[in-house]
Amino acid sequence: MATVESRALKSVPAGINDDIGEETRLKLYRSQVLLREAEQRAFDLFLQNLVKGTSHLSLGQEAVAAGFATAMQPGDLSFCTYRGHAHTLARGVPVEKVLGELMQRDNGLMRGKGGSMHLTSSEHGVMGSYAIIGAHLPIACGAAWRAQYKGAKDVSVCFFGDGTTNIGAFHEALNFAAVWKLPVIFVCENNLYMEYTPISSVTAVAQPAADRAAAYGLERILIDGNDADIVYRTAQAAFAKARAGGGPSLIECLTYRHSGHSRADPAKYRPDGELEKWKERDPVKIYRERLKQFGVDDQAIVAIESDVRKIVDDATEACKAAPMPSLDILTTDVYADGGFAWRN
Amino acid sequence: MAELTYRDAVARGIAQEMERDDDVVFLGEDVAGAGGVFKATVGLLEKFGPIRVRDTPISEQAIMGAAMGAAMTGLRPIAEIMFSDFFAVCFDYIANEFPKSRYMSNGQLKCPLVVRTGNGAGSRFGAQHSQSVENWCMMIPGLKVVAPSNPRDVIGLMAAAVRDPDPVIFFEHKSLYATKGEVPDGEIVDTLGTAAVARPGNDATILALALMVPRALAAAEKLKVEHGIDCEVVDVRSLVPLDTQTILGSVARTHRLFTVEENPRLCGWGAEIVSIVADEAFYDLDGPPVRITTPHIPLPAADILEDIALPSVDRIVDRVKRSMNS
Ligand SMILES: Cc1ncc(C[n+]2csc(CCOP(=O)(O)OP(=O)(O)O)c2C)c(N)n1
Ligand SMILES: [Mg+2]
């Protein structure tokens, strides 16, 4: 079975990403801090019984969402899973809208009709969060097919977990995208676990996504998903390839979730010391150091952190004050006429 | 007016919509180069080229998902699933994805697509290539479901389905592909959610769908000529939306209701309609509504077995006569 050591890649060789530039680095940091704070707040609100239903946090996986979203252009499309808060926020969706949906309030992204697993904000390019494992890989192919057909330059990005690489839709989508040369990027966040079972115990290859790439004629791409610079650089290359008509990419990002699978999971199945090891490679911590290494002064870092905290605090208050959804939306938007009539 | 086969009507219906709107694209297994396993899409590749008419791998989930992603971002895809039985391997899209994205997103996402599929028995293909599965789709909020019985309706309902802003499941009956009918020249656009009185009558209402429509019509003719029973045959055409007004109107005049369903008995579309009639037109009825269906069995391959499984003209005549005389 893979150990933490073998999974966690060495950090960036010096020099490789030096030219990312301060402006982008600050964006990457700000994004990661926002995701961290918002997810932590979601957990607190759950403990206060204010988040209903379920929720799946991306604590520890922030660098993937931040790195990809920062590399995206407006108009690029994100397809997420139930573990989609971070990807949704990273596209610029207001914290209040996301927390509001988690709290199933009227101010939520979908006014409580979707819930935490289905975050959608089409105006930000978040084309849905999908809770049936693998379903959105083919859907992302379709959006990319439309771009190809229309000669549009947008790229569709599909995020999913390691466990998703063992479902049929993954393989159908990879082959389909490769054969049609679609501008789609498949991003596997390998956090070592499905819900509770280690991915290595149920998968024929060591790297569930990267080791399958060859079967679809794709390059094997395996990266440190806890280093936002590496994620950002890798994403940029994949976007450039997709926009140039070079077809799909499959990128496996090694990462780790600090929390359990979903709200109620204490994650007892993890070996002793594993979480602590990974926390040493906490993406937010790594990136804070990175900023300092590149000469960003403490004040600028702290300013980002306090600004983000205020945004999350304000959003929390707004959500607590927000009303529950009005009952008349129960039957709206089943069909395109706005209602649910199935007969005359 | 020209006489056209149901098979050729499919290609003409798709072509009519592809000519009208560049956003209409068509994908499926063996649909382009080969013109479809039922030869229902012959000529489309030649007419519209390989960018708009595309062969796919044998990947039903990829076909459905790709159609959905294209639909939600602006295209008007028509996807073919070769046999409706194969819905079972991509049912996630039918049950969870197409019909729920609009609702879950509070109206942000749309899914204007058509899935057309070869449905029904009569080809002696056995249990996994012969089913009538309209009811698998009818029960799902957010979908629309149609099943034409003749070439004219194939074209008109295809146009209505392609232009509709919701996901539409379009059931073509395999045993109707070779049948012929008169089709007007020029564009044909029909309306979803409308039933059609295929034969007016006064003594009893017979509801039928797809292949059961010609059988119900033949039975009605026999009942009239041989037994003096004057049946009205209503072609239901559209299960969702359902034209209950036409159905209730017919029952109000004839006071008797029969459904002829190809599906196995449990939860067939007729059960829903009978419940509506019981609810809303109970006192219009002069006798119990009767459902004539395939029994609760997988379909057999052997012709003599398949023939007795499906409602036949004789079975319809027999059942109606028995009921009307009791
Ligand atoms: C088709 C399907 N099977 C099973 C589930 C239940 N389920 C929800 S999340 C999950 C684990 C997914 O693991 P992975 O792809 O690694 O994503 P992660 O949760 O780690 O982000 C499972 C099995 C599901 N939602 N859909
Ligand atoms: Mg996982």
Side-chain angles (χ1 to χ4, degrees):
Chain A
M1 210 183 280
T3 61
V4 179
E5 287 73 19
S6 70
R7 294 282 184 151
L9 298 191
K10 310 269 171 326
S11 56
V12 222
I16 243 183
N17 290 300
D18 285 3
D19 60 337
I20 283 179
E22 182 162 318
E23 199 189 323
T24 302
R25 280 226 161 76
L26 291 176
K27 268 195 212 157
L28 285 165
Y29 186 60
R30 187 188 169 85
S31 179
Q32 292 181 83
V33 173
L34 181 82
L35 308 187
R36 173 65 52 92
E37 291 290 329
E39 288 287 63
Q40 244 149 18
R41 184 59 50 88
F43 188 66
D44 292 346
L45 289 167
F46 161 62
L47 293 178
Q48 293 166 44
N49 215 14
L50 287 168
V51 165
K52 301 179 204 166
T54 187
S55 80
H56 304 76
L57 305 178
S58 291
L59 290 169
Q61 303 183 199
E62 294 88 348
V64 178
F68 270 92
T70 306
M72 284 184 202
Q73 305 282 325
D76 288 335
L77 303 178
S78 303
F79 293 82
C80 316
T81 68
Y82 52 88
R83 197 181 303 290
H85 316 167
H87 294 293
T88 303
L89 290 164
R91 293 303 305 275
V93 176
V95 179
E96 181 190 329
K97 294 249 173 204
V98 171
L99 289 181
E101 189 64 27
L102 267 56
M103 292 164 72
Q104 304 180 354
R105 305 277 171 137
D106 202 50
N107 67 338
L109 262 180
M110 301 91 75
R111 299 182 71 193
K113 285 177 80 169
S116 78
M117 298 202 284
H118 300 294
L119 298 179
T120 304
S121 184
S122 56
E123 64 174 301
H124 295 90
V126 181
M127 300 305 282
S129 300
Y130 298 80
I132 307 296
I133 297 295
H136 62 317
L137 282 84
I139 297 171
C141 287
W145 172 32
R146 180 267 326 154
Q148 182 186 64
Y149 181 79
K150 293 276 203 184
K153 282 294 161 207
D154 63 276
V155 174
S156 293
V157 186
C158 184
F159 301 98
F160 52 90
D162 44 278
T164 303
T165 64
N166 289 326
I167 202 163
F170 168 88
H171 298 274
E172 290 195 13
L174 262 293
N175 181 62
F176 190 89
V179 173
W180 287 25
K181 269 201 151 197
L182 298 175
V184 57
I185 303 175
F186 299 104
V187 183
C188 175
E189 296 183 72
N190 181 357
N191 60 13
L192 307 188
Y193 292 90
M194 303 150 57
E195 288 191 58
Y196 316 123
T197 304
I199 190 65
S200 55
S201 68
V202 296
T203 308
V205 292
Q207 299 305 331
D211 288 346
R212 263 83 174 245
Y216 305 106
L218 298 174
E219 188 189 342
R220 183 180 193 278
I221 305 176
L222 177 66
I223 64 169
D224 180 351
N226 279 12
D227 187 319
D229 281 351
I230 295 179
V231 174
Y232 174 73
R233 273 288 185 248
T234 309
Q236 274 192 320
F239 279 109
K241 176 183 167 190
R243 284 192 231 282
S249 299
L250 172 62
I251 299 167
E252 179 173 336
C253 306
L254 296 180
T255 185
Y256 194 79
R257 61 169 152 74
H258 292 172
S259 52
H261 164 72
S262 62
R263 50 179 271 172
D265 171 27
K268 292 264 167 56
Y269 43 84
R270 303 200 278 219
D272 282 348
E274 186 177 83
L275 175 61
E276 291 66 29
K277 275 253 161 79
W278 276 91
K279 280 198 165 169
E280 287 165 21
R281 298 209 21 74
D282 178 338
V284 180
K285 205 170 82 181
I286 289 175
Y287 216 74
R288 203 172 195 279
E289 287 309 308
R290 182 76 42 80
L291 290 182
K292 289 187 178 176
Q293 204 182 314
F294 279 93
V296 177
D297 62 46
D298 265 351
Q299 241 178 329
I301 295 175
V302 172
I304 288 176
E305 291 163 353
S306 54
D307 187 37
V308 163
R309 213 154 291 143
K310 180 161 170 15
I311 289 172
V312 174
D313 284 344
D314 290 350
T316 306
E317 290 318 307
C319 289
K320 283 181 177 168
M324 297 301 166
S326 56
L327 300 184
D328 61 296
I329 66 170
L330 176 69
T331 55
T332 60
D333 288 321
V334 177
Y335 292 101
D337 63 7
F340 75 121
W342 54 273
R343 57 170 283 191
N344 61 7
Chain B
M1 273 296 194
E3 192 168 69
L4 208 63
T5 61
Y6 187 97
R7 163 181 293 121
D8 291 339
V10 172
R12 179 165 147 195
I14 296 172
Q16 174 186 301
E17 293 309 294
M18 292 188 77
E19 260 153 25
R20 180 187 57 83
D21 182 354
D22 283 345
D23 287 340
V24 179
V25 289
F26 175 44
L27 78 168
E29 296 162 15
D30 300 310
V31 299
V37 292
F38 303 114
K39 297 285 172 230
T41 58
V42 170
L44 293 176
L45 174 67
E46 291 70 18
K47 207 176 261 169
F48 300 102
I51 307 290
R52 295 183 71 190
V53 179
R54 299 195 74 160
D55 282 323
T56 68
I58 307 168
S59 300
E60 277 75 12
Q61 296 185 74
I63 293 168
M64 297 293 242
M68 178 174 174
M72 66 199 269
T73 55
L75 297 186
R76 292 279 180 155
I78 303 171
E80 175 176 314
I81 297 295
M82 196 184 282
F83 286 78
S84 62
D85 313 68
F86 308 163
F87 278 5
V89 300
C90 52
F91 204 59
D92 179 39
Y93 294 92
I94 295 171
N96 292 319
E97 311 299 342
F98 303 160
K100 294 183 171 62
S101 61
R102 179 182 294 275
Y103 187 84
M104 293 196 301
S105 68
N106 194 35
Q108 293 180 68
L109 300 179
K110 56 184 177 175
C111 191
L113 56 78
V114 178
V115 177
R116 35 174 301 273
T117 189
N119 192 49
S123 305
R124 291 51 167 119
F125 287 163
Q128 296 179 343
H129 287 73
S130 305
Q131 296 173 84
S132 284
V133 304
E134 306 91 343
N135 57 342
W136 292 5
C137 300
M138 185 186 180
M139 64 171 92
I140 299 165
L143 292 181
K144 292 179 178 171
V145 182
V146 296
S149 69
N150 61 74
R152 195 204 165 282
D153 284 1
V154 166
I155 300 170
L157 291 174
M158 178 79 71
V162 171
R163 297 175 196 199
D164 195 83
D166 289 308
V168 181
I169 312 296
F170 193 92
F171 287 101
E172 293 162 16
H173 201 293
K174 296 194 288 288
S175 290
L176 290 174
Y177 279 130
T179 61
K180 290 182 178 163
E182 288 292 323
V183 174
D185 299 328
E187 190 184 70
I188 307 174
V189 187
D190 212 321
T191 312
L192 301 184
T194 54
V197 176
R199 173 191 172 111
N202 296 312
D203 299 339
T205 298
I206 303 178
L207 304 183
L209 192 72
L211 179 65
M212 296 300 108
V213 174
R215 292 193 184 182
L217 286 169
E221 184 61 22
K222 260 189 148 172
L223 283 160
K224 178 83 193 251
V225 172
E226 293 172 19
H227 307 285
I229 301 170
D230 180 24
C231 295
E232 177 148 303
V233 177
V234 175
D235 182 347
V236 178
R237 302 196 324 151
S238 174
L239 292 174
V240 186
L242 184 66
D243 183 359
T244 49
Q245 293 314 314
T246 296
I247 294 165
L248 291 166
S250 179
V251 171
R253 274 186 288 102
T254 66
H255 309 293
R256 301 298 292 240
L257 175 64
F258 298 85
T259 67
V260 186
E261 306 165 50
E262 186 174 331
N263 46 252
R265 186 163 188 93
L266 297 193
C267 303
W269 55 262
E272 185 59 49
I273 292 178
V274 166
S275 98
I276 291 169
V277 170
D279 227 12
E280 300 175 27
F282 186 76
Y283 297 106
D284 286 341
L285 291 169
D286 284 346
V290 174
R291 293 178 60 212
I292 304 163
T293 74
T294 293
H296 191 56
I297 54 168
L299 285 170
D303 54 4
I304 54 163
L305 294 176
E306 194 184 59
D307 285 343
I308 57 165
L310 262 57
S312 62
V313 174
D314 287 344
R315 176 137 69 98
I316 299 166
V317 169
D318 207 52
R319 194 64 191 80
V320 172
K321 191 179 56 173
R322 196 144 46 87
S323 228
M324 298 295 284
N325 293 339
S326 66

